[in-house]
């Protein structure tokens, strides 16, 4: 009987300890947010960055798992220099990141995305394309898509474009 009381007492202490620890973690995380808000209110130079980070975290919590759509075989003829007699081509497979809510709309935009990608990448001379990294190609395309959607006054149904495959000949 004594052993049973001790087991119950230890279990009770463990439960109370876990509750206190959970409360402390919750309280401390609220303190960080309050301090950040106070810093923002005082005109801290990082206020905008803190708000942007907080908004991004909240946005990520609400997001469903990402969906990936492909734009296969975007073939581009690269610009030639006047002394070059052979044609140079680039072939790229693009991957578009979206979410389940915007997936249908993003699929409807794939032909336009292909067109913007061709228009953007066909302006590259062969010498430039050969030394660019995958990230640089992706950045160029993301800028072009942002500008296109901004000019049209529409919201992008995807968050970013990535390069799935790239071949330059």
């Amino acid at each position: 009987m004594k052993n049973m009381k001790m087991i119950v007492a230890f279990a009770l202490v463990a439960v109370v300890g876990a509750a206190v620890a959970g409360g402390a973690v919750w309280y401390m995380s609220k303190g960080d947010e309050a301090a950040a808000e106070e810093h923002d209110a005082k005109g801290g130079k990082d206020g905008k960055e803190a708000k942007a980070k907080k908004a991004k975290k909240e946005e990520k919590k609400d997001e469903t798992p990402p969906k990936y759509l492909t734009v296969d075989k975007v073939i581009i003829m690269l610009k030639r220099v006047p002394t070059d007699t052979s044609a140079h081509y680039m072939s790229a497979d693009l991957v578009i990141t979206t979410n389940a809510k915007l997936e249908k709309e993003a699929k409807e935009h794939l032909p336009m995305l292909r067109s913007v990608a061709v228009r953007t990448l066909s302006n590259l001379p062969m010498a430039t394309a050969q030394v660019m990294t995958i990230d640089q190609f992706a950045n160029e395309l993301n800028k072009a898509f942002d500008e296109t959607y901004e000019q049209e006054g529409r919201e992008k149904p995807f968050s970013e474009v990535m390069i799935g495959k790239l071949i330059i000949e």
Side-chain angles (χ1 to χ4, degrees):
M1 192 69 154
K2 240 182 184 183
N3 285 341
M4 185 64 147
K5 286 182 183 179
M6 278 185 75
I7 291 173
V8 170
F10 279 123
L12 186 59
V13 167
V15 169
V16 170
V20 168
V25 168
W26 175 81
Y27 179 76
M28 295 299 274
S29 69
K30 291 296 179 187
D32 289 344
E33 289 175 12
E37 288 174 9
E38 182 180 319
H39 179 70
D40 293 347
K42 289 182 181 177
K45 71 176 187 178
D46 295 333
K48 290 180 184 176
E49 292 175 16
K51 285 181 183 178
K53 286 180 183 178
K54 186 176 177 183
K56 240 182 191 177
K57 283 182 184 178
E58 288 176 10
E59 187 177 300
K60 285 193 178 201
K61 287 179 189 175
D62 296 339
E63 278 187 20
T64 56
K67 297 279 187 171
Y68 301 99
L69 304 174
T70 58
V71 182
D72 291 329
K73 294 185 178 133
V74 178
I75 299 173
I76 299 106
M77 183 174 184
L78 297 170
K79 277 182 154 180
R80 294 190 306 189
V81 292
T83 59
D84 196 0
T85 58
S86 60
H88 297 285
Y89 295 92
M90 176 190 312
S91 175
D93 290 350
L94 307 179
V95 179
I96 308 298
T97 305
T98 187
N99 61 35
K101 288 186 247 176
L102 298 173
E103 182 178 11
K104 182 180 178 190
E105 185 180 352
K107 282 182 181 178
E108 293 170 356
H109 289 214
L110 290 180
M112 188 269 294
L113 299 178
R114 176 184 295 277
S115 174
V116 172
V118 168
R119 184 177 64 234
T120 302
L121 297 175
S122 66
N123 286 325
L124 293 173
M126 177 63 175
T128 304
Q130 284 179 320
V131 296
M132 287 177 69
T133 66
I134 297 293
D135 289 335
Q136 289 171 327
F137 281 110
N139 287 337
E140 288 295 317
L141 289 172
N142 279 310
K143 274 196 295 188
F145 291 138
D146 289 343
E147 290 170 4
T148 300
Y149 277 97
E150 189 175 309
Q151 287 173 356
E152 293 180 2
R154 297 190 305 180
E155 184 132 352
K156 278 190 339 184
F158 60 92
S159 57
E160 71 173 326
V161 65
M162 300 176 288
I163 307 293
K165 179 171 54 172
L166 181 70
I167 300 169
I168 299 175
E169 289 186 15

